[in-house]
Amino acid sequence: MENRKHTSLKDLAQALGVSIPTVSRALKDSPEISRELCAKAKKLAKEMNYRPNPFAMSLRKNAPRIIGVIVPDIVTHFFASILNGIENMAIDNGYFVIITTSHESFEHEKRNIENLVNMRVEGIIACLSQETTDFSHFAALKEINMPLILFDRVCLTDQFSSVIADGAQSAQMATQHLLDNGSKRVAFIGGANHLDIVKRRKHGYLEALRDNRIPIEKELVVCRKIDYEEGQIATETLLSLPQPPDAILAMNDTLAFAAMEVIKRHGLRIPDDIAIIGYTDEQHANYVEPKLSAVSHQTYKMGETACQLLIDQIKGDRTVKQVVIPTHLQIRESSIKENNKKMLYLRNIDTAPFTYREFYLIISTPLQY
């Protein structure tokens, strides 16, 4: 069966040798257009089976009000929860959301931007793909006064508002937890170094080492790509070292789960041989063995905040704002070594933004089980 091609106003305009606006007005019997051309346009439209696009027409009339969203993928709980926050905030404010995915591709991301602009959305919320190093397609939105909010993986923060997690502080806290619970050589597995989110979390990890006067060993930092297979390769690289790590901070749960699989494949125990902490706290962090300690994001709040910032911009507030949403460290079984369990871990995370307190009660004798 042949693909059906829909006749557009452009097709009619080319056939009549006039502009698209002229054809549009002729089909509406505009008094500005001659009766002869109006009749000719209607006759041709019938012959070519032209049908108006009601969706495009509604966009031109600014109803419904639409915002566009670009995410790297929609499979993970992390992005699904953020989208949920965006959509609910949008609905509460009378907006409809169009969700697109870049599939971690720079070219897809550029195409999504172009398509959303062509659909005349009122604003865009986006998270960068892993491939994105050229930000010109975002900068171009400034030139056409298209409101843009970036979240999680961001760029051009001097020009566009953004919503991020406290990456440096949370990574520093997670690394400190590993050191406090018996680990000596903590490794870091991250994504591509050009991503701001990788830079922030790696910085926090390195700051924790400096605070504890631990020499920084470049071979313990492996930054490749945020991908399960790449996480396995990174872990194999670490385990092949003459002095492999006894703990790993993985910058997201995909990499953490990949690391766990490789560690077990080598016959090593988690956390006694290698402790591990992940990021984003996917729901299934509770279902792996052992349960995965993780830095947990307020993903729904990130989505709500990003959408509220966009709506404020659409209404005229063009102030550039950088909003940091606090995280908390969710301690489970994967990060406390057996020989350190004489430490009763009592943790209290302050509910005030950016404040974290951890309390440790050290007892002199091993616990009795």
Side-chain angles (χ1 to χ4, degrees):
M1 181 178 178
E2 293 184 358
N3 291 329
R4 179 178 297 175
K5 182 180 182 300
H6 295 283
T7 300
S8 66
L9 282 175
K10 182 178 180 180
D11 296 326
L12 295 178
Q14 288 178 340
L16 292 169
V18 297
S19 69
I20 293 175
T22 298
V23 173
S24 179
R25 290 194 292 269
L27 292 175
K28 296 174 185 176
D29 282 323
S30 170
E32 300 174 358
I33 307 300
S34 69
R35 297 303 88 194
E36 180 184 359
L37 181 55
C38 287
K40 191 174 182 181
K42 289 180 181 180
K43 182 174 183 293
L44 182 62
K46 186 174 182 180
E47 292 173 353
M48 297 180 67
N49 198 31
Y50 166 74
R51 295 176 183 274
N53 184 336
F55 182 68
M57 291 172 66
S58 69
L59 289 178
R60 286 192 290 272
K61 295 176 182 177
N62 295 319
R65 307 193 72 177
I66 298 174
I67 61 176
V69 180
I70 305 172
V71 292
D73 69 68
I74 55 175
V75 175
T76 65
H77 175 262
F78 178 77
F79 286 116
S81 180
I82 288 175
L83 287 171
N84 193 25
I86 291 173
E87 188 166 39
N88 286 342
M89 177 61 73
I91 291 171
D92 288 345
N93 285 272
Y95 287 85
F96 176 74
V97 178
I98 294 178
I99 299 169
T100 65
T101 177
S102 67
H103 303 288
E104 299 287 12
S105 162
F106 172 64
E107 291 301 327
H108 274 82
E109 182 179 275
K110 286 199 303 180
R111 186 158 56 248
N112 288 344
I113 288 286
E114 183 180 352
N115 289 338
L116 290 173
V117 170
N118 289 339
M119 294 177 71
R120 304 184 190 183
V121 298
E122 294 195 39
I124 296 173
I125 301 172
C127 175
L128 273 62
S129 80
Q130 289 192 61
E131 293 183 358
T132 301
T133 56
D134 175 5
F135 310 131
S136 57
H137 54 306
F138 290 117
L141 296 178
K142 197 82 172 178
E143 298 173 8
I144 62 172
N145 294 317
M146 172 66 72
L148 170 69
I149 304 296
L150 296 162
F151 72 92
D152 194 47
R153 307 176 200 163
V154 303
C155 66
L156 305 176
T157 52
D158 59 325
Q159 300 181 45
F160 299 106
S161 295
S162 66
V163 179
I164 61 172
D166 55 348
Q169 185 173 355
S170 60
Q172 186 171 359
M173 177 178 62
T175 305
Q176 187 63 54
H177 167 76
L178 290 168
L179 295 171
D180 288 340
N181 283 276
S183 297
K184 307 292 185 185
R185 291 173 55 77
V186 182
F188 178 84
I189 299 178
N193 281 307
H194 67 265
L195 291 171
D196 68 294
I197 190 173
V198 177
K199 294 176 183 177
R200 292 195 301 270
R201 295 179 188 179
K202 184 166 63 174
H203 175 75
Y205 156 78
L206 295 174
E207 282 297 296
L209 297 185
R210 293 188 186 100
D211 288 347
N212 289 271
R213 298 181 180 178
I214 297 173
I216 294 170
E217 302 177 56
K218 291 182 179 180
E219 62 267 27
L220 291 180
V221 180
V222 184
C223 293
R224 298 171 60 91
K225 186 178 179 181
I226 305 172
D227 174 83
Y228 193 84
E229 183 177 344
E230 293 288 346
Q232 291 181 310
I233 295 171
T235 308
E236 290 284 3
T237 300
L238 291 170
L239 296 186
S240 68
L241 294 172
Q243 289 184 286
D246 62 359
I248 292 174
L249 173 61
M251 72 155 283
N252 83 338
D253 282 352
T254 299
L255 297 175
F257 293 141
M260 293 178 78
E261 179 180 333
V262 173
I263 292 168
K264 292 178 180 179
R265 189 190 306 155
H266 280 257
L268 300 171
R269 298 166 301 165
I270 304 172
D272 295 332
D273 295 317
I274 302 181
I276 188 165
I277 292 179
Y279 253 84
T280 73
D281 195 22
E282 298 277 2
Q283 287 182 329
H284 38 276
N286 279 301
Y287 307 138
V288 293
E289 178 61 37
K291 294 180 180 179
L292 179 65
S293 295
V295 175
S296 180
H297 288 66
Q298 298 185 68
T299 46
Y300 186 89
K301 185 175 181 179
M302 289 179 71
E304 276 189 324
T305 305
C307 190
Q308 185 61 66
L309 286 175
L310 184 68
I311 292 170
D312 290 345
Q313 282 201 11
I314 291 171
K315 292 179 178 179
D317 181 4
R318 296 304 174 93
T319 307
V320 176
K321 301 173 183 176
Q322 312 305 330
V323 181
V324 181
I325 305 294
T327 60
H328 72 272
L329 181 58
Q330 181 67 51
I331 301 301
R332 300 189 181 92
E333 300 167 354
S334 69
S335 61
I336 304 178
K337 296 180 183 294
E338 185 70 27
N339 62 8
N340 211 49
K341 284 186 179 176
K342 65 180 182 180
M343 175 184 293
L344 289 178
Y345 186 84
L346 301 177
R347 181 169 53 90
N348 172 36
I349 296 180
D350 202 307
T351 55
F354 318 115
T355 302
Y356 300 86
R357 294 202 301 267
E358 293 185 335
F359 300 93
Y360 298 91
L361 172 63
I362 311 298
I363 61 177
S364 57
T365 56
L367 293 176
Q368 301 297 315
Y369 295 94

